[in-house]
Amino acid sequence: QVQLVESGGGLVQAGGSLRLSCAPSGSVFRIKSMGWYRQAPGKQRELVAGITSGGSTNYADSVKGRFTISRDNAKNTLYLQMNSLKPEDTAVYYCNARILLNYWGQGTQVTVSS
């Protein structure tokens, strides 16, 4: 019912910034919550940040104070502002949307050089 397309990944130096975007389509009005996950090579996918339909947010301890998740209701778009990037932030970042099931985008690569 929901399709997700991520964008905004790229290569940055340590200390730099990126803003990821997730554009949903389909039954957008049914989405209960959305979030950003990431997966580095050899590691399991982990939650980076989440936001509910009511606007409540939560963050992984490793990104608190550096990343900000937000939602543009006019555009129905999810964002992840990433500041003070570290090499350990290098991963494929995935957009997630939950209705009754979880829906995933294809991922966007973020690479942070030292």
Side-chain angles (χ1 to χ4, degrees), residues 70-86:
S70 62
R71 180 184 61 231
D72 186 329
N73 291 325
K75 297 181 179 180
N76 294 316
T77 301
L78 184 73
Y79 299 98
L80 183 67
Q81 179 66 47
M82 304 185 293
N83 298 325
S84 302
L85 283 162
K86 304 175 181 180

Side-chain angles (χ1 to χ4, degrees), residues 15-34:
S17 298
L18 285 173
R19 189 177 74 161
L20 306 184
S21 299
C22 173
S25 62
S27 301
V28 178
F29 65 95
R30 295 183 178 273
I31 295 174
K32 302 299 182 182
S33 63
M34 299 186 73

